[in-house]
Amino acid sequence: MRQKKRKLRKLYKILRQVRSHGERMAGLSDTELSHLTVEFKARLAKGETLDDILPEAFAAICEADFRILGMAPFDVQVLGGIALHQGCLAEMNTGEGKTLVATMPLYLNALTGKSTILVTANGYLASRDAEEMGAVYRFMGLSVAAGVPGKGQKEFGTAEKQEVYAADIVYTTHGALGFDYLIDNLAKKSADRFLRGFYYVIIDEADSVLLDAAQTPLIISASPRVQSNLYAVADLFVTTLVEERDYMLEDGAVWFTEEGIRYAETFFQIDNFYAREHFEINRHVILALRAHKLHEKGENYIVSRDRKLLLMDGSTGRSLDGMKLRGGQHQALEAKEGVPLTQESRAVAVVTFQNLFLMFPKLAGMSGTLADAAEELRDVYGVKVVVIPTNRPKKRKDLPDRYFPNAKQQVEAAAMTALEIHKTGRPVLIVAANIKNTERISKILMKEKIPHSVLNANNAYWEAQIVKEAGRRATVTVATTMAGRGTDIKLEEGVEELGGLAVIGIGRMDNVRMERQARGRAGRQGDAGTSQFFVSLEDDLMGDNPSLEKYIEERRRIGKRKLKKKINKTQTMGEEGSVMARKNAVIYDKVIQRQRGLIYATRDKLLEGEELPVEMILKMADGNIKRFLAANANLDRRTLNRYILDNISYQLDRDAVDLQVEDREAVEGYLTEKVRKVMAEQEKKIGNSKRMNEFIRVAVLNAVDNGWVEQVDYMQQLQAAVSGRSFAQRNVLFEYQNESFESFREMESTVYGNAMRSILLSDIYLDEQENLHILFP
């Protein structure tokens, strides 16, 4: 508490410095005010720091906000802006004007000329804020762009993305930024790249992105893999298993027992279920087991009328069109449901939001619910949470939660409360933890002939517009937890006197943050309002617990105190489990992060035209030859000839016929000399050493990319496979780290081999315009 007060005192000290320049800024003409950008940049070039010019720069942008938008930032908004500039996560209540807060640190950091990005909740908000706030930045002489297409615009191509990321300030979404990062690092030519080096990012709704979506992998898939015939047999095998004898199911995890492993070895006629040579059998069985025991039809996925398996968002009830589970899990679910198997794709690039935002040297964010996760955010991202005071005292009343044994009583009580409030003319926002409860409450409201909106559609623009209107007199809005997040609810005139917006929550949510977010919809900017949650033993959070059925079915009475204790304890345990899962994900992620860092650094050098001397390639070839000879202790002529034809030359010469294969030194010397000759022939075709270096660079890049695609794909499969090894003291993380390291070593050897093949066996020619054409083997 003392540290928090000390931090706020420091922020207030800087605030006073900002305000001391306010009068001078107000006295400047528009031309003089906008010209300050040029002066600030000049001062930075002479050695001043951003902290040195912050008071004047913030005062200037505050004045610009007022002149262009008609909104002058409050003191608390300036405090928030200072905290964001300092690389903190600012907790600011809903309705405190976070969009305006961001103009100050974005402007200041954009003066460096480095990449400055704001990540917001959805594409609609990114486009809206870039347009509305963009007027301020352009007035001050800076460029601004939205990283997502606006309504009715087609998807951006490379040229449009280059223009977007060249802007001083970019508004985008976390998903768009993540995929752009992956696409940028798949570019084959330097001219096709569009991202600048990461520098400063502000994440709106930071807890949602950095915590709730942190483990979500962004995957670019391509190169269809050969379809496996193991899905059906693995699915059949799993249907014969007996719980507790063959496998254990607990807390959302499933694993084999010793007896189950022995049974699998007998069924598949193998001697070691976890041996590397049986990896595919192991993987498919684990996927089938997870499909049957961890994925519920109607909750996690549905089967459409045309027999397609569609994933579902459990909290919103939306079908996730175009999305598939990774690593073969989607195909395992299709096998379980007996629908046609879709093509399993190879993952060619992957990154999680955790890793993506850890790449920014300067990370900041804001949300209404950060303090509850301050410790985790500091441990994982190295950023502090600062709680910014509200502009006006909070008047919202958070009423005590109400507890029920089953969903029927819970929803009926929530509906009756909503109807009573509705009669007074107050607007009501009903926030449900899942789609089922939105449908249940909607049926009751329709029966009572109460007009209302139900937000289940996947349309951010439409959601935002409805949520915006949710503060009108007698309006009833039913929504899932995330619907319209990032949009303020403003009260219609006269509603404040009636008691303001009433938020009714149905269902205990996965964590306290989500509940605080829902409550925060009411009481914006010191408005009146109330919030109350209705929870029961049938909430999703409680899971399938047979011991609770007697209470749910009311065969046995349960006291309110015991009911409250059971539900709240389950939420606490769930939150602790989520924190642990995210911490484990960081460890998993560090493995691929290190490997990706090495590969992308290599790609950057190749794309930037780094010269690869012929001697370096000959050394690479020498290593390949040594590995070939080491792997063939009893070398015969046929194997030698096959190696030459597959790796060095499509033609065998007389020297190879006369070569004594028993003389390994002679064989190595011959192969090395053969490589030199073919290299010289390739350079002769190309014409000069400069062009030869360009050809070598492209060939090595091609080999690196192909090797990395295989590695990324393997790592995705490996993570799913090792999750089934958590029985009997097996250290899953250690096994994952060990096997991924071994596979990376193997990938390196493969890359060297493929690079040599590409250089020596590619068909190369020059066209009439002297352009080089390469046909890789």
Side-chain angles (χ1 to χ4, degrees):
M1 185 63 74
R2 192 176 295 169
Q3 279 185 325
K4 290 178 182 176
K5 286 183 177 177
R6 191 182 303 131
K7 178 68 178 175
L8 275 176
R9 279 201 300 272
K10 288 181 180 178
L11 294 181
Y12 272 109
K13 183 180 178 182
I14 300 171
L15 168 66
R16 288 191 290 273
Q17 293 172 5
V18 173
R19 292 308 193 200
S20 70
H21 294 281
E23 194 175 327
R24 179 169 73 86
M25 297 300 169
L28 297 177
S29 67
D30 285 357
T31 304
E32 290 169 330
L33 182 63
S34 62
H35 190 264
L36 287 176
T37 298
V38 177
E39 294 176 22
F40 291 145
K41 286 183 176 182
R43 287 167 60 181
L44 289 173
K46 288 179 181 176
E48 286 192 63
T49 67
L50 290 179
D51 289 341
D52 293 333
I53 66 170
L54 183 151
E56 291 168 83
F58 268 40
I61 202 71
C62 283
E63 180 62 25
D65 285 335
F66 178 67
R67 293 188 192 184
I68 304 301
L69 305 173
M71 296 185 286
F74 302 123
D75 284 356
V76 292
Q77 290 175 310
V78 178
L79 289 178
I82 298 166
L84 292 176
H85 161 67
Q86 293 178 347
C88 296
L89 298 174
E91 176 170 303
M92 301 185 72
N93 279 8
T94 302
E96 290 294 305
K98 293 190 281 289
T99 306
L100 192 65
V101 170
T103 60
M104 293 171 270
L106 286 175
Y107 171 72
L108 177 63
N109 283 273
L111 294 172
T112 62
K114 298 176 184 177
S115 168
T116 303
I117 298 172
L118 185 133
V119 170
T120 192
N122 56 55
Y124 161 71
L125 292 175
S127 298
R128 184 200 72 182
D129 293 350
E131 184 178 343
E132 291 180 3
M133 302 298 118
V136 177
Y137 305 125
R138 283 188 280 272
F139 171 79
M140 293 300 291
L142 296 179
S143 57
V144 63
V148 290
K151 203 175 179 185
Q153 279 186 294
K154 62 182 176 87
E155 290 297 313
F156 291 153
T158 301
E160 288 92 346
K161 287 183 179 181
Q162 287 172 339
E163 191 176 333
V164 165
Y165 287 106
D168 294 310
I169 296 167
V170 176
Y171 282 80
T172 187
T173 66
H174 51 293
L177 180 64
F179 279 117
D180 282 348
Y181 167 73
L182 294 176
I183 292 165
D184 193 61
N185 281 288
L186 289 172
K188 297 293 183 184
K189 296 182 293 186
S190 183
D192 290 338
R193 303 193 74 173
F194 46 81
L195 278 181
R196 292 196 281 161
F198 288 155
Y199 169 59
Y200 180 58
V201 67
I202 298 175
I203 305 169
D204 194 12
E205 306 297 353
D207 57 329
S208 175
V209 175
L210 297 180
L211 298 175
D212 302 329
Q215 294 163 260
T216 304
L218 298 171
I219 300 173
I220 293 180
S221 298
S223 317
R225 105 183 13 265
V226 176
Q227 193 68 291
S228 167
N229 60 2
L230 285 171
Y231 286 111
V233 69
D235 189 76
L236 174 64
F237 167 71
V238 163
T239 61
T240 68
L241 299 177
V242 177
E243 189 172 349
E244 293 193 6
R245 186 193 73 188
D246 300 319
Y247 67 91
M248 301 295 288
L249 180 63
E250 187 179 331
D251 295 334
V254 63
W255 65 91
F256 280 101
T257 61
E258 290 281 6
E259 193 168 343
I261 292 162
R262 286 197 297 272
Y263 174 40
E265 289 168 349
T266 303
F267 186 95
F268 290 99
Q269 294 294 290
I270 57 178
D271 55 357
N272 183 353
F273 186 59
Y274 291 108
R276 186 145 193 168
E277 60 267 28
H278 302 312
F279 175 79
E280 284 300 315
I281 291 175
N282 179 313
R283 179 172 81 95
H284 282 77
V285 168
I286 295 296
L287 291 172
L289 185 62
R290 291 167 64 90
H292 278 268
K293 305 303 171 186
L294 301 183
H295 296 270
E296 288 289 326
K297 184 179 179 180
E299 188 174 321
N300 304 117
Y301 67 91
I302 58 169
V303 176
S304 66
R305 289 180 182 176
D306 55 354
R307 300 184 70 218
K308 289 181 180 175
L309 191 130
L310 302 174
L311 298 182
M312 299 283 289
D313 184 326
S315 63
T316 64
R318 298 166 180 155
S319 62
L320 303 171
D321 297 334
M323 288 191 68
K324 285 186 177 184
L325 293 171
R326 57 186 172 142
Q329 189 65 69
H330 204 88
Q331 287 70 26
L333 284 171
E334 289 168 333
K336 168 190 170 184
E337 295 299 332
V339 301
L341 267 62
T342 53
Q343 180 66 55
E344 189 181 351
S345 296
R346 196 181 300 275
V348 299
V350 61
V351 70
T352 61
F353 290 123
Q354 260 172 344
N355 263 330
L356 177 69
F357 290 111
L358 281 169
M359 294 177 201
F360 282 85
K362 196 169 177 182
L363 167 66
M366 48 190 176
S367 176
T369 47
L370 288 165
D372 294 307
E375 188 178 339
E376 183 183 355
L377 289 163
R378 187 184 65 243
D379 290 347
V380 175
Y381 298 98
V383 287
K384 292 179 181 176
V385 172
V386 179
V387 179
I388 304 297
T390 55
N391 187 45
R392 295 176 186 161
K394 189 182 84 171
K395 290 199 299 193
R396 185 187 75 236
K397 293 178 182 175
D398 295 326
L399 304 174
D401 295 344
R402 293 179 62 186
Y403 295 84
F404 302 87
N406 55 51
K408 185 174 182 294
Q409 292 183 28
Q410 169 194 24
V411 174
E412 284 177 357
M416 290 307 106
T417 302
L419 290 169
E420 287 298 317
I421 295 171
H422 175 67
K423 286 176 186 175
T424 68
R426 289 177 64 195
V428 179
L429 173 64
I430 301 170
V431 181
N434 60 39
I435 184 67
K436 290 176 193 167
N437 285 336
T438 64
E439 292 170 348
R440 287 170 179 160
I441 203 88
S442 181
K443 281 180 183 175
I444 296 172
L445 293 172
M446 282 192 285
K447 191 176 177 182
E448 297 292 328
K449 297 181 180 175
I450 303 295
H452 61 283
S453 300
V454 182
L455 291 182
N456 289 335
N458 193 14
N459 186 318
Y461 176 81
W462 188 60
E463 283 181 7
Q465 290 301 109
I466 288 177
V467 169
K468 209 172 183 180
E469 301 297 314
R472 297 175 69 88
R473 184 187 292 264
T475 298
V476 178
T477 309
V478 183
T480 49
T481 53
M482 290 301 293
R485 188 167 177 178
T487 305
D488 285 348
I489 298 174
K490 296 180 182 178
L491 299 183
E492 187 181 38
E493 194 174 338
V495 169
E496 169 85 7
E497 290 72 26
L498 295 173
L501 176 68
V503 171
I504 293 176
I506 302 179
R508 179 60 82 229
M509 296 180 183
D510 289 341
N511 55 60
V512 174
R513 287 183 295 102
M514 292 174 77
E515 291 176 8
R516 282 185 63 207
Q517 184 72 31
R519 292 183 195 278
R521 295 291 198 175
R524 172 191 172 275
Q525 280 282 347
D527 289 340
T530 60
S531 74
Q532 188 169 36
F533 269 79
F534 295 71
V535 298
S536 82
L537 292 174
E538 284 195 276
D539 290 344
D540 290 348
L541 182 85
M542 303 304 291
D544 294 323
N545 189 340
S547 69
L548 299 178
E549 286 178 10
K550 55 183 177 286
Y551 303 121
I552 293 170
E553 295 169 4
E554 297 185 87
R555 287 184 277 112
R556 188 168 173 183
R557 191 178 172 281
I558 182 170
K560 294 290 183 188
R561 185 176 293 180
K562 187 176 180 181
L563 190 61
K564 179 179 179 180
K565 187 177 179 182
K566 277 185 178 293
I567 294 172
N568 291 351
K569 185 181 178 183
T570 303
Q571 186 187 49
T572 302
M573 288 172 64
E575 287 191 57
E576 289 170 355
S578 296
V579 170
M580 186 57 66
R582 287 193 289 265
K583 284 183 178 176
N584 283 339
V586 172
I587 299 169
Y588 275 117
D589 245 21
K590 278 182 180 174
V591 178
I592 198 165
Q593 184 185 10
R594 284 194 292 266
Q595 295 183 9
R596 182 174 50 237
L598 289 169
I599 293 296
Y600 284 3
T602 302
R603 288 190 94 258
D604 286 345
K605 288 178 181 177
L606 291 169
L607 286 172
E608 287 162 11
E610 180 176 320
E611 192 168 335
L612 298 170
V614 171
E615 288 306 314
M616 183 191 292
I617 303 304
L618 292 172
K619 190 176 178 182
M620 184 191 298
D622 184 55
N624 292 334
I625 292 165
K626 282 182 165 62
R627 277 189 291 276
F628 163 68
L629 293 173
N632 291 273
N634 300 310
L635 185 64
D636 57 47
R637 189 167 299 281
R638 185 181 175 191
T639 304
L640 176 62
N641 289 345
R642 189 73 265 161
Y643 178 76
I644 294 170
L645 292 169
D646 287 343
N647 294 278
I648 302 176
S649 173
Y650 292 132
Q651 292 182 344
L652 296 172
D653 50 35
R654 183 171 294 278
D655 291 346
V657 177
D658 297 336
L659 192 65
Q660 297 298 312
V661 292
E662 298 82 9
D663 187 346
R664 301 180 74 80
E665 193 175 321
V667 170
E668 184 177 342
Y670 167 74
L671 292 175
T672 302
E673 187 55 35
K674 180 77 174 172
V675 168
R676 286 182 177 276
K677 283 181 181 176
V678 175
M679 286 273 287
E681 288 168 10
Q682 293 287 64
E683 186 169 344
K684 190 175 179 182
K685 284 184 198 174
I686 291 171
N688 58 55
S689 58
K690 185 179 179 182
R691 273 221 174 106
M692 182 64 180
N693 183 68
E694 176 66 15
F695 162 59
I696 289 172
R697 194 172 58 77
V698 172
V700 172
L701 180 63
N702 184 64
V704 168
D705 284 348
N706 289 337
W708 181 235
V709 165
E710 293 292 336
Q711 177 67 0
V712 167
D713 191 53
Y714 175 74
M715 296 276 277
Q716 293 301 298
Q717 297 174 57
L718 180 64
Q719 193 164 335
V722 297
S723 67
R725 305 182 191 178
S726 54
F727 76 99
Q729 287 83 49
R730 273 194 183 245
N731 186 321
V732 175
L733 288 172
F734 173 77
E735 295 209 2
Y736 177 75
Q737 289 170 328
N738 193 45
E739 291 193 30
S740 59
F741 176 72
E742 286 299 318
S743 66
F744 190 77
R745 291 281 298 273
E746 288 177 17
M747 183 206 73
E748 285 182 317
S749 298
T750 303
V751 167
Y752 292 149
N754 287 343
M756 188 176 92
R757 288 183 73 249
S758 294
I759 293 165
L760 301 177
L761 296 178
S762 288
D763 185 12
I764 48 180
Y765 67 93
L766 299 173
D767 61 20
E768 292 176 1
Q769 283 78 40
E770 293 289 297
N771 293 317
L772 181 65
H773 293 265
I774 307 167
L775 185 61
F776 290 115

